Amino acid sequence: MTKLIVATSNPGKLREMQAYLSESEWELSLKPAELDVDETEDTFIGNACLKAAEVAIALNCWAIADDSGLQVDALNGAPGIFSARYASSDKERIDRILHELSDFPDSSQRQAQFVCAVAVARPDGSIAARAEGICRGEILTAPRGTDGFGYDPIFYIPTERLTFAEMSKEAKRSISHRGKAFATISAQLAAIKQ
Ligand code: ITT
């Protein structure tokens, strides 16, 4: 089995990435905490490729990275690629979104989507695979649920009548941005000759 470095410092993302890659024929290993990559690109996929490539080169190993975030229609797509940098804790990030949407009480005005871009880099930093997944939903007026991470308690899926933070791991996987992106990348990873 070839080693594949999971290039994230976000514990919530890490749990999902490991679960979604658990049946792959790759030996997963976590990137060292001190190896951090600045996200200087202006797209999710650009930042996913950058993180995977820089970690791969630094460790001379295959690496996989995820760049993701929330895009709120009424905020012209914000926070988008700045989702992690929108405030300094998950609670403050949620409070900021709720405050910015306070003039938009109707669910029709609170439409949003999560985006996940994922990239796999070879040890020389070249990109071997990439994929993207999108999940549409609505931003609630107050958080609901305790599972998941990040913006999950305010991201509501009307067809399920649940937020991501109220869903089982399996339900989130089957409809989420990351579940979709990893379904595609897993097939690509399986096709790579190790
Ligand atoms: P790494 O770059 O180290 O992977 P990060 O947290 O900086 O970690 P991103 O730059 O991709 O990751 O930022 C993603 C932001 O969007 C971050 O605030 C997450 O909490 C949030 N996010 C991404 N996917 C999410 C999900 O499935 N549920 C809730 N929030 C999510």
Side-chain angles (χ1 to χ4, degrees):
M1 274 212 241
T2 308
K3 197 185 266 190
L4 179 64
I5 308 292
V6 181
T8 183
S9 304
N10 181 315
K13 268 165 64 165
L14 176 64
R15 277 196 300 276
E16 293 187 4
M17 291 173 80
Q18 284 178 319
Y20 301 172
L21 293 168
S22 63
E23 277 148 38
S24 82
E25 298 288 315
W26 294 75
E27 181 197 337
L28 303 183
S29 174
L30 181 57
K31 118 182 141 55
E34 63 275 13
L35 177 55
D36 215 9
V37 179
D38 280 344
E39 296 176 7
T40 53
E41 295 294 318
D42 57 8
T43 60
F44 291 109
I45 195 68
N47 281 324
C49 291
L50 181 71
K51 287 190 272 189
E54 290 206 10
V55 169
I57 291 168
L59 301 176
N60 194 30
C61 264
W62 288 76
I64 184 166
D66 161 319
D67 199 63
S68 45
L70 183 63
Q71 296 180 315
V72 180
D73 297 0
L75 304 178
N76 299 315
I81 58 164
F82 301 105
S83 293
R85 295 165 267 178
Y86 216 41
S88 50
S89 69
D90 281 343
K91 183 184 179 305
E92 286 169 6
R93 286 186 272 272
I94 285 178
D95 287 346
R96 180 169 173 189
I97 300 263
L98 295 181
H99 176 70
E100 289 176 343
L101 285 178
S102 53
D103 291 337
F104 302 95
D106 296 345
S107 61
S108 64
Q109 300 171 301
R110 303 174 71 93
Q111 301 296 304
Q113 63 186 23
F114 263 124
V115 179
C116 174
V118 56
V120 174
R122 302 181 187 93
D124 68 0
S126 59
I127 299 300
R130 69 186 83 198
E132 241 176 332
I134 291 178
C135 179
R136 297 284 303 170
E138 295 170 12
I139 305 299
L140 292 183
T141 52
R144 267 175 43 182
T146 52
D147 286 343
F149 67 98
Y151 298 94
D152 281 348
I154 54 168
F155 192 75
Y156 179 73
I157 305 291
T159 50
E160 307 292 312
R161 299 188 175 188
L162 294 172
T163 66
F164 271 174
E166 295 174 313
M167 266 177 214
S168 67
K169 289 181 181 57
E170 296 71 29
K172 184 180 175 189
R173 178 177 184 167
S174 70
I175 58 174
S176 75
H177 51 309
R178 184 165 297 100
K180 291 174 187 166
F182 274 73
T184 306
I185 208 85
S186 295
Q188 297 180 53
L189 271 172
I192 290 171
K193 282 214 168 42
Q194 298 186 38

